[in-house]
Amino acid sequence: MTATALIRHLPGLIGQSVALRGWVVTTRSSGKIAFLVIRDGTGYLQCVIAKQDVDEATWETSRLLTLETSVEVSGEIREDSRSPGGVELGVESLATLGPSADFPIGKKEHGTAFLFERRHLWLRSRRQTAIMLVRHEVVQAIRDFYYERDFVLVDTPLLTGAVGESTGTLFETEYFDLGKAYLAQTGQLYAEAAAAALGRVYCFGPTFRAEKSKTRRHLTEFWMVEPEVAWYDSDDNMRLQEEFVSYVVARCLERCKAELDILGRDRGPLESVVAPFPRISYGEAIQRLRDLGSDIRWGQDLGGDAETQLAQQFDRPVFVYNYPRDVKAFYMKQNPADPTTVLCNDCLAPEGYGEIIGGSQREDDHDLLLGRIREEGLPEKAYGWYLDLRKYGTFVHSGFGLGVERTVAWICGVPHIREVIAFPRMMTRLYP
Ligand code: NSS
């Protein structure tokens, strides 16, 4: 195939002849002139076909085009201030590459079940591509943030022999002669080992949880970025989080203006996302919730509704720190000032989005950690290597995990996280 131009580059090609390939978005025709909008993934382009300027085959083709037909067009790029991108194409020839009869997703409203069943086609819509582009920017911003700060990327295994987070949500599979393997719920434990080797590290990949809940915040496969830092305590950890979240949001405000407009996202609330973030202890959070009329008691975990209520009191993300030990994972460091709590924090996003980060200082005392592993009834043998980190040069260290989908949903202002991953996996969805 001959080289073709990308729509994104056309404003620099005014006056030149180009060939383009793409898919039909809309067509409109009068007796003598037809307007065709195509998209190629990099943008949208209006193509103008004047009957008197083209051969009969091109004119006939233009009249028969249907939604999502793939086409090749060529002609001259002209300035047109009313068009998206400020240019249009004066068509000289047009050919169908792949017909598309009865594209199932049209202009009318469809239910979400209908759309998710056709996710492979729905992805082509303006809204879905805008979301994917914001996600792309978020992922790039994450990588840049850590690269610029000398963190080393360490890829952690997805097939693991030990429980990372909790036994309740494990996907397991038979693993040859070695018994059961679990799909990773987190890369954290391995990132801790890597932090003792490299100092500042992060892992970034898909994680898996057999979530049986059907909420707008849970997927069974989601992406998480997990930094782990030697010599950071819980306070340092929260400072890194607020700097990180502010950075990612600022990058999207700077580079995703068009996408946020397509999504109708009010930028005001995102512009307030500037460090430092307010911090309230778990105890204070319970008191605030009770003052708001909740009957939640000390010792209970904060559910989605409680998180929403708390976050509503602030104009930027808020940290809730030092939760009761009994509602948190085994690896969190006991709070020396109050052994019923652990040195940890969640970061709750505003506007009803709730928890986007869970983080903690890690238990660095060998015997306390072993005690917690036993208390939780976890198989000691599987954690031998993890305990070794406390036997050979134990070190104060902290880290956190930021859920990519929850963050993208919040930045896009999309209510349900299933819409911000190309092919969501949920309890009720494995297709397409
Ligand atoms: O369970 S977390 O709170 N924490 C961890 O996994 C730690 N091991 C991270 C660490 O310290 N390295 O999950 C972290 C974040 C949480 O705040 C959410 O944003 C996201 O991961 N998360 C999810 N997103 C989508 N779907 C599900 N099911 C989900 N579970 C957690």
Side-chain angles (χ1 to χ4, degrees):
M1 282 194 159
T2 52
T4 54
L6 295 178
I7 292 175
R8 181 156 50 97
H9 296 151
L10 296 182
L13 299 176
I14 290 167
Q16 298 188 27
S17 281
V18 299
L20 291 151
R21 296 190 197 107
W23 291 263
V24 171
V25 181
T26 56
T27 56
R28 185 158 58 85
S29 170
S30 70
K32 295 195 175 93
I33 191 156
F35 296 94
L36 161 69
V37 175
I38 64 168
R39 56 165 191 88
D40 71 351
T42 76
Y44 291 79
L45 175 69
Q46 170 157 283
C47 308
V48 184
I49 307 150
K51 187 174 180 187
Q52 64 188 41
D53 294 343
V54 296
D55 59 29
E56 205 163 316
T58 291
W59 180 252
E60 273 312 300
T61 302
S62 78
R63 284 162 28 86
L64 300 174
L65 289 176
T66 49
L67 195 56
E68 292 301 326
T69 299
S70 52
V71 293
E72 176 159 345
V73 279
S74 59
E76 190 183 310
I77 297 299
R78 306 191 290 231
E79 197 160 2
D80 179 67
S81 56
R82 292 155 305 171
S83 292
V87 296
E88 64 175 23
L89 181 82
V91 173
E92 283 153 20
S93 74
L94 165 70
T96 292
L97 301 177
S100 164
D102 311 322
F103 189 72
I105 301 171
K107 291 268 174 301
K108 69 173 186 342
E109 288 278 311
H110 296 290
T112 48
F114 179 93
L115 291 169
F116 277 104
E117 208 50 30
R118 294 158 186 79
R119 181 64 171 167
H120 50 297
L121 303 176
W122 184 31
L123 267 189
R124 304 179 186 191
S125 74
R126 210 180 269 260
R127 175 180 161 88
Q128 297 308 315
T129 51
I131 294 172
M132 289 306 121
L133 289 169
V134 174
R135 181 184 173 111
H136 170 65
E137 191 59 43
V138 165
V139 169
Q140 191 60 43
I142 289 171
R143 295 199 182 283
D144 290 346
F145 179 86
Y146 290 109
Y147 190 83
E148 287 162 13
R149 284 159 188 75
D150 295 322
F151 281 66
V152 180
L153 174 70
V154 175
D155 299 314
T156 51
L158 300 185
L159 284 167
T160 68
V163 177
E165 217 37 58
S166 75
T167 47
T169 59
L170 284 174
F171 281 113
E172 48 176 64
T173 180
E174 293 305 323
Y175 196 79
F176 307 106
D177 296 335
L178 299 182
K180 292 216 185 315
Y182 309 106
L183 289 183
Q185 297 172 311
T186 171
Q188 176 198 320
L189 276 49
Y190 298 95
E192 287 183 54
L198 293 153
R200 307 169 145 226
V201 300
Y202 74 104
C203 60
F204 191 4
T207 45
F208 306 89
R209 296 190 191 177
E211 305 278 3
K212 292 186 192 74
S213 51
K214 292 185 213 159
T215 78
R216 58 200 184 85
R217 296 175 183 175
H218 291 91
L219 297 170
T220 53
E221 179 178 316
F222 63 97
W223 283 65
M224 181 156 57
V225 53
E226 298 182 86
E228 192 69 35
V229 195
W231 318 116
Y232 263 29
D233 65 14
S234 187
D235 275 340
D236 300 324
N237 198 28
M238 283 189 267
R239 269 193 295 276
L240 180 64
Q241 291 167 49
E242 61 199 7
E243 189 191 345
F244 173 47
V245 171
S246 314
Y247 177 98
V248 170
V249 170
R251 266 282 287 267
C252 292
L253 285 171
E254 185 195 316
R255 300 198 192 177
C256 296
K257 285 199 181 72
E259 288 75 22
L260 294 176
D261 280 347
I262 289 169
L263 297 168
R265 177 61 161 120
D266 177 5
R267 278 197 279 271
L270 295 177
E271 277 155 7
S272 317
V273 180
V274 178
F277 298 165
R279 298 180 186 192
I280 56 175
S281 69
Y282 167 85
E284 214 179 316
I286 295 297
Q287 193 53 53
R288 275 178 186 258
L289 289 167
R290 293 187 64 86
D291 291 347
L292 289 168
S294 162
D295 57 4
I296 193 166
R297 280 193 310 276
W298 198 99
Q300 292 177 301
D301 202 0
L302 306 181
D305 291 344
E307 287 175 1
T308 300
Q309 269 189 309
L310 277 176
Q312 262 163 4
Q313 304 189 316
F314 303 92
D315 71 337
R316 64 195 74 191
V318 54
F319 291 124
V320 180
Y321 62 89
N322 295 7
Y323 282 66
R325 185 189 98 127
D326 293 343
V327 298
K328 288 292 180 186
F330 69 96
Y331 52 72
M332 295 186 181
K333 186 170 177 62
Q334 195 177 77
N335 180 2
D338 172 11
T340 62
T341 63
V342 282
L343 299 177
C344 70
N345 76 270
D346 283 354
C347 178
L348 312 181
E351 301 176 84
Y353 284 91
E355 183 196 325
I356 53 170
I357 289 180
S360 63
Q361 188 171 331
R362 318 307 190 188
E363 185 54 79
D364 47 46
D365 181 279
H366 177 277
D367 294 349
L368 287 177
L369 182 60
L370 180 60
R372 288 291 290 130
I373 288 171
R374 286 184 177 154
E375 259 174 29
E376 297 282 324
L378 295 168
E380 239 169 274
K381 242 178 74 196
Y383 293 90
W385 69 270
Y386 187 61
L387 285 159
D388 270 358
L389 308 177
R390 281 77 181 163
K391 246 163 69 184
Y392 302 107
T394 194
F395 61 123
V396 168
H397 62 292
S398 300
F400 63 88
L402 170 124
V404 168
E405 288 76 18
R406 289 193 192 175
T407 305
V408 175
W410 164 49
I411 292 175
C412 288
V414 167
H416 198 304
I417 66 171
R418 66 189 166 193
E419 216 179 320
V420 307
I421 185 162
F423 295 99
R425 291 291 169 257
M426 290 170 288
M427 190 182 151
T428 52
R429 180 151 302 285
L430 198 54
Y431 174 93

